[in-house]
Amino acid sequence: MRITGARVFVGGPGKNYVTLKIETDVGVHGLGDATLNNRETLPAAYLRDYVVPNLVGMDPRRSEDIWQFLYRGAYFRRGPVAMAAFGAVDMALWDIKGKLAGMPVCDLLGGRSREGAMVYGHAAGADLEDLMDSVASHVERGYRAVRVQCAVPGMAGYAVPEARGGAGDFITDFGGIRSKVEAWDTGRYMRFMPGALAEIRARFGPELHILHDVHHRLLPREAAEFARAVEPVGLFWLEDPTPAEDQDALRIIRQHSTVPLAIGEVFNSIWDCNRLIEREQIDFIRVAATYAGGITHVRRIVDLAALHHVRTGFHGAPSHSPICMAAHAHLDVWAPNFGIQEWLVLGTPACDALFPTEHRVEDGMLRVSDAPGLGVEFDEREAARYEYRPGSHPVVRLGDGTLWNY
């Protein structure tokens, strides 16, 4: 059995999804996701120019050897562009093997540890009452866990609508490559957000799991103070309180607070997070199957985390296509140390048309289908409706113009 070719597609509804389709001489194909948000053309070119020519003629069943070939053979290793490309290949190979075996990928991993996986959605508001309405909407739809983000008076905040009742992707701007500028004021945030989180808890009671993302905006001492201030809220987790590059900052937070910490969505390998996990400085690891090199490599991270009481919380923002989210779904129901799954992409009519699937979310739980492989297909006729659109993330500056952490 041999790989005969592979094609790369860029485009999608509201996102520039990078989809890899690997084809074989037995007529079985596999799908992978290489979407690198706002840098999508880079992993697409890496795949077309360097990876695919090497794949042709290889045995797709030898996914471990192919992963090692891609990673060790590159010499200059890691980084989001290369790992997104490798992740797409690895997902596609697992998809092929599942189809050959007539089994879902979770069965190839060792079978299900649970019948469903708890997911969380994003609630956001232009002010606190607007956020309360968004949280209530999620609760009414059956969510048991909600990430909450709110505009701070005098400052927009992070990932919030500009006006009450706003909806959609608050981050990516498809107006062009040049980034818009957002303002940040740590003092305003520190004075406002603990009280806002307390009001959300008071309104919705103790059963709702509340998550909050600081998005790398605080310095270590500030993050420790903030974590201690929000302890009474009983957060499910506090995400990315400090920049991920300074992992020792989490020690300072740990010394001052017992709030569960979640980090890792910008990590690309086990070598980015093995010390954090071994030192038990975090409670949830947030890597994604795309950016962290696919199922083969993420499985190693999950196994290491299980040894140190760290649970999974895979990144699942619109940065990932339904193919990556299907890979997460199979890891979620298998992983003995599963925590929660961010889930924002499947279920829209446009996505379902491009990526048909039977995976579904019901009552806040992800139900993984028994379809062979990843359980997601790709409609090339539907894909022809889309093309690449340049887009960008905003950048953040302080009041005096200093560039700050995004």
Side-chain angles (χ1 to χ4, degrees):
M1 183 177 182
R2 293 290 182 264
I3 295 171
T4 56
R7 290 178 288 159
V8 182
F9 304 81
V10 181
K15 282 290 174 183
N16 294 312
Y17 295 128
V18 180
T19 303
L20 174 69
K21 183 175 183 179
I22 294 180
E23 297 163 328
T24 69
D25 58 1
V26 297
V28 177
H29 70 268
L31 300 171
D33 173 34
T35 308
L36 180 60
N37 206 28
N38 302 139
R39 300 291 187 271
E40 300 92 347
T41 57
L42 300 180
Y46 197 116
L47 284 165
R48 291 188 183 112
D49 296 344
Y50 299 100
V51 175
V52 170
N54 279 287
L55 291 177
V56 174
M58 289 185 170
D59 186 337
R61 295 167 294 187
R62 298 181 62 180
S63 57
E64 179 65 48
D65 183 68
I66 291 174
W67 196 95
Q68 298 296 337
F69 172 86
L70 293 173
Y71 184 85
R72 293 175 183 263
Y75 188 70
F76 294 102
R77 300 175 182 177
R78 297 155 67 178
V81 175
M83 295 302 276
F86 302 165
V89 172
D90 190 71
M91 287 180 224
L93 298 181
W94 279 91
D95 192 26
I96 289 170
K97 290 196 290 185
K99 291 171 180 175
L100 290 172
M103 299 167 65
V105 165
C106 60
D107 283 356
L108 300 182
L109 291 169
R112 301 173 191 240
S113 297
R114 58 196 53 81
E115 297 306 312
M118 183 170 65
V119 302
Y120 73 89
H122 289 189
D127 56 37
L128 187 53
E129 280 306 310
D130 191 34
L131 173 57
M132 295 286 194
D133 291 342
S134 182
V135 175
S137 174
H138 281 78
V139 171
E140 289 169 3
R141 284 179 282 155
Y143 281 90
R144 309 174 191 186
V146 183
R147 191 194 82 166
V148 297
Q149 308 296 139
C150 186
V152 175
M155 182 188 75
Y158 160 67
V160 296
E162 295 181 359
R164 298 193 68 174
D169 182 352
F170 309 125
I171 299 176
T172 300
D173 173 23
F174 286 107
I177 292 296
R178 187 176 294 274
S179 298
K180 291 184 176 179
V181 177
E182 292 182 353
W184 178 260
D185 187 317
T186 297
R188 290 177 185 268
Y189 172 83
M190 296 277 285
R191 291 189 294 271
F192 172 78
M193 194 56 65
L197 293 171
E199 289 191 43
I200 294 168
R201 173 62 73 207
R203 176 81 64 92
F204 293 97
E207 298 301 320
L208 181 66
H209 297 303
I210 298 173
L211 303 80
H212 179 63
D213 187 357
V214 185
H215 222 254
H216 315 118
R217 302 292 171 88
L218 300 180
L219 300 177
R221 185 208 58 78
E222 296 165 344
E225 178 184 339
F226 184 84
R228 188 165 58 186
V230 301
E231 272 189 11
V233 176
L235 292 179
F236 186 87
W237 78 32
L238 183 66
E239 182 179 345
D240 289 334
T242 53
E245 294 92 335
D246 182 10
Q247 298 183 9
D248 284 341
L250 298 177
R251 289 183 175 182
I252 299 175
I253 303 171
R254 277 286 203 228
Q255 291 167 358
H256 291 83
S257 175
T258 58
V259 169
L261 300 176
I263 194 169
E265 68 185 61
V266 298
F267 292 162
N268 304 131
S269 75
I270 196 170
W271 297 282
D272 295 324
C273 58
N274 61 321
R275 294 292 181 263
L276 282 176
I277 292 171
E278 290 165 358
R279 294 169 182 166
E280 301 181 6
Q281 292 175 226
I282 59 174
D283 301 275
F284 297 88
I285 183 65
R286 294 271 291 141
V287 293
T290 295
Y291 306 151
I295 293 170
T296 295
H297 196 63
V298 169
R299 183 181 184 182
R300 292 193 168 96
I301 297 173
V302 173
D303 284 337
L304 176 64
L307 298 177
H308 296 279
H309 322 293
V310 175
R311 292 186 284 169
T312 65
F314 300 130
H315 192 221
S319 312
H320 311 292
S321 88
I323 298 171
C324 176
M325 296 307 297
H328 288 165
H330 288 281
L331 288 162
D332 289 335
V333 295
W334 157 74
N337 53 327
F338 168 76
I340 198 168
Q341 176 63 61
E342 185 178 24
W343 194 264
L344 298 176
V345 288
L346 295 185
T348 66
C351 266
D352 286 348
L354 183 58
F355 300 101
T357 183
E358 295 180 2
H359 301 315
R360 66 192 189 281
V361 172
E362 295 177 346
D363 297 323
M365 299 291 287
L366 169 61
R367 309 294 180 179
V368 179
S369 82
D370 289 321
L374 290 175
V376 176
E377 283 304 325
F378 179 67
D379 189 326
E380 294 186 36
R381 292 174 300 177
E382 190 72 15
R385 298 176 49 202
Y386 303 103
E387 59 184 14
Y388 170 73
R389 291 190 300 153
S392 64
H393 276 156
V395 297
V396 176
R397 293 186 182 273
L398 303 181
D400 65 359
T402 302
L403 196 70
W404 203 239
N405 302 305
Y406 182 78

